[in-house]
Amino acid sequence: MSIQFFRRDFMQRITFGTSGWRGIMCEDFIFENVKVVTQAIADNVKASGEARKGIIVGYDSRFMGESFAREAARVLTGAGITTYLCIRDTPTPVIAFEILRRGTAGAINFTASHNPPEYNGIKFSPSWGGPALPQTTTDIENRANEMAGEICYAECSIDDAIKKGLLLEIDPMQAYLEDLSTKVDFAAIAKLGTIAVNPLYGTARGYLAEPLKAHGVKVVQMNANRDPYFGGFPPEPSEKYIQDFIRLVQQDPSITLGIATDGDADRFGIVDGDGSFIEPNYIIALLLDYLVRVKGMTGGVGRSVATSHLVDAVARMHGVEVFETPVGFKFIGELISQDKIIIGGEESAGLTIKGHVPEKDGILACLLVAEMVAREGKPVKALLEQLYEKVGRYLTKRVNITLSPELEEVFPERIAATPAGFAGVAVKQKVTVDGNKFILEDGSWLLFRKSGTEPVVRLYAEASSEARLQALLSAGRDFIEGKA
């Protein structure tokens, strides 16, 4: 084995967010920093006593994903850790599935998910398969930053690692798809008609259209080639960034449903047969109702503090317990691992279900929606109106408020106060699970969450009508700006 040792300094502090460490390529996301973070992960895994199980290394469809993954593999094998290197860009939920299937110590995934193409990132998932919890990421972060100026890692060449049996190349696609076929009713979907598929140039290529075609579903597909520029937009399946896809669905009367995923296929986007974009908040509630009422699943439901209370209303209708979590799918994944919930989801288009991986899975989400529409025999909008008739109407929206230096200085004091009410309705309860959430007497609510990286406050609001929703958003903005 050929081993080399390196000592370099960091240019910037490594900081892990809700989904790992992300940075701009050629600025802070550079090979030297990637190697140091990989060594910190190796040290964390060794300290946990699980290093003998090996680590999976994967990547999404961004620039140089293969190169970063190979460098990480060299550091891991240099540390004596068996490494399973994915041979092509691989979805985040598939990597999570492979962790559990192989029983590894975890996985390093090079992905920046839905961020613009100039970004990349390292996401570490430990042996339980979900995103690393704060105590794990804090340890990795501390280890990496402590090596600033004292960096020491060994690298093994790829050829030597293969010869020594320390490096194995893998493609987890087939095993994942076989498991998916036990959780999705493809026979029902085959009766639906034409489905439009949009992997947004990302890792879901081959994971959506091909299984559908194999089960006799007619598919129209777009953006199905690898493009590290993602067509010039962030690879996020939100209404703003999939207008070409929406037009496709609108213009083809044979299409009954449009399904899309983000760059690493952990988020979903749903377009109804008439071209209407369906907010993820509502999909989570619809699937909860479907899984309980039609598929007979039992358990609770997990949602982030920023997710619609339409989920709560459906839960009450079915006698299901609600678990409210901070923002970050790691907390929902933990509930899945503990077998406490039927489904868990976030307003940012992430969900998973009982018996599946404790990680958000856009592929599964899209296929479950297709199954629901097929078996219920109604478009998504009709199913949502049907649900509203049973539990009431819930409309949710998020806006970003940029803070001036003066507002940012007084923000902590301002948000610590509990106002009497918003838009003429009294505050009933304050929730501080993540940010500051004010629940009003009429059931509407506002949530204020400060960004950890920029002078921005994310304001979420929910109400039973569009007029009331806009009034709350206006009142929330006035509150932050000191006009209330």
Side-chain angles (χ1 to χ4, degrees), residues 256-257 272-274 286 373 376-385:
T256 55
L257 182 70
D272 211 2
D274 65 353
L286 282 167
V373 171
E376 298 280 55
K378 296 179 180 179
V380 182
K381 283 170 63 179
L383 292 174
L384 184 58
E385 286 300 322

Side-chain angles (χ1 to χ4, degrees), residues 275-421:
S276 299
F277 181 81
I278 310 298
E279 289 292 335
N281 266 306
Y282 311 140
I283 294 297
I284 297 165
L286 282 167
L287 283 177
L288 171 62
D289 176 62
Y290 174 73
L291 293 174
V292 174
R293 180 173 48 81
V294 177
K295 304 195 80 165
M297 294 179 69
T298 59
V301 59
R303 62 156 179 80
S304 72
V305 67
T307 300
S308 172
H309 286 203
L310 178 58
V311 172
D312 303 53
V314 173
R316 283 193 297 272
M317 179 174 66
H318 292 297
V320 169
E321 183 179 4
V322 176
F323 296 87
E324 186 173 58
T325 73
V327 172
F329 208 82
K330 56 177 75 75
F331 304 107
I332 289 171
E334 191 174 25
L335 293 172
I336 287 286
S337 285
Q338 296 167 351
D339 199 30
K340 290 183 176 180
I341 57 176
I342 301 163
I343 185 172
E346 291 190 318
E347 56 83 30
S348 55
L351 69 80
T352 191
I353 65 169
K354 185 176 186 177
H356 195 53
V357 295
E359 174 65 271
K360 50 184 179 283
D361 189 341
I363 300 166
L364 174 72
C366 286
L367 294 175
L368 284 177
V369 171
E371 176 190 318
M372 175 181 68
V373 171
R375 291 186 63 175
E376 298 280 55
K378 296 179 180 179
V380 182
K381 283 170 63 179
L383 292 174
L384 184 58
E385 286 300 322
Q386 183 176 287
L387 191 61
Y388 281 155
E389 289 174 7
K390 295 177 182 178
V391 302
R393 189 171 296 273
Y394 292 75
L395 301 176
T396 311
K397 188 170 184 180
R398 184 188 104 175
V399 297
N400 290 339
I401 301 173
T402 301
L403 300 177
S404 66
E406 294 77 19
L407 285 178
E408 187 168 22
E409 183 178 352
V410 300
F411 175 78
E413 180 181 352
R414 185 163 294 160
I415 201 65
T418 301

Side-chain angles (χ1 to χ4, degrees), residues 122-354:
I122 289 181
K123 179 174 183 174
F124 176 65
S125 299
S127 59
W128 61 279
L133 293 169
Q135 57 265 36
T136 301
T137 55
T138 297
D139 180 75
I140 294 169
E141 185 180 300
N142 289 340
R143 289 177 185 273
N145 288 302
E146 284 170 4
M147 285 191 279
E150 295 293 334
I151 301 168
C152 185
Y153 51 84
E155 287 189 278
C156 180
S157 74
I158 296 295
D159 288 343
D160 282 350
I162 292 173
K163 289 176 184 177
K164 295 291 184 180
L166 285 172
L167 182 66
L168 294 88
E169 294 184 321
I170 64 169
D171 183 357
M173 176 186 279
Q174 193 57 42
Y176 170 84
L177 291 179
E178 288 174 2
D179 181 76
L180 199 64
S181 69
T182 69
K183 296 166 182 172
V184 175
D185 188 346
F186 282 98
I189 297 173
K191 302 173 184 177
L192 186 58
T194 302
I195 296 179
V197 172
N198 183 7
L200 273 175
Y201 309 102
T203 60
R205 304 181 329 278
Y207 284 88
L208 276 175
E210 283 68 16
L212 287 170
K213 290 176 183 177
H215 287 87
V217 181
K218 186 176 180 182
V219 173
V220 175
Q221 190 172 197
M222 71 183 307
N223 303 329
N225 58 294
R226 182 178 179 182
D227 175 9
Y229 284 110
F230 303 109
F233 299 98
E236 180 180 353
S238 63
E239 185 174 14
K240 180 179 180 180
Y241 298 123
I242 60 169
Q243 286 297 312
D244 57 347
F245 188 54
I246 290 172
R247 286 192 296 272
L248 171 69
V249 176
Q250 288 172 335
Q251 293 167 6
D252 188 338
S254 71
I255 295 174
T256 55
L257 182 70
I259 54 178
T261 50
D262 71 337
D264 67 328
D266 67 350
R267 300 187 183 211
F268 64 90
I270 303 298
V271 179
D272 211 2
D274 65 353
S276 299
F277 181 81
I278 310 298
E279 289 292 335
N281 266 306
Y282 311 140
I283 294 297
I284 297 165
L286 282 167
L287 283 177
L288 171 62
D289 176 62
Y290 174 73
L291 293 174
V292 174
R293 180 173 48 81
V294 177
K295 304 195 80 165
M297 294 179 69
T298 59
V301 59
R303 62 156 179 80
S304 72
V305 67
T307 300
S308 172
H309 286 203
L310 178 58
V311 172
D312 303 53
V314 173
R316 283 193 297 272
M317 179 174 66
H318 292 297
V320 169
E321 183 179 4
V322 176
F323 296 87
E324 186 173 58
T325 73
V327 172
F329 208 82
K330 56 177 75 75
F331 304 107
I332 289 171
E334 191 174 25
L335 293 172
I336 287 286
S337 285
Q338 296 167 351
D339 199 30
K340 290 183 176 180
I341 57 176
I342 301 163
I343 185 172
E346 291 190 318
E347 56 83 30
S348 55
L351 69 80
T352 191
I353 65 169
K354 185 176 186 177

Side-chain angles (χ1 to χ4, degrees), residues 72-151:
R74 294 180 65 197
V75 171
L76 290 173
T77 55
I81 297 175
T82 301
T83 302
Y84 302 92
L85 179 63
C86 293
I87 62 172
R88 61 151 279 187
D89 53 295
T90 303
T92 289
V94 178
I95 292 173
F97 172 81
E98 194 68 3
I99 292 172
L100 300 178
R101 191 178 79 86
R102 289 183 179 270
T104 68
I108 293 173
N109 186 10
F110 287 90
T111 178
S113 189
H114 62 291
N115 284 102
E118 63 269 25
Y119 282 83
N120 211 326
I122 289 181
K123 179 174 183 174
F124 176 65
S125 299
S127 59
W128 61 279
L133 293 169
Q135 57 265 36
T136 301
T137 55
T138 297
D139 180 75
I140 294 169
E141 185 180 300
N142 289 340
R143 289 177 185 273
N145 288 302
E146 284 170 4
M147 285 191 279
E150 295 293 334
I151 301 168

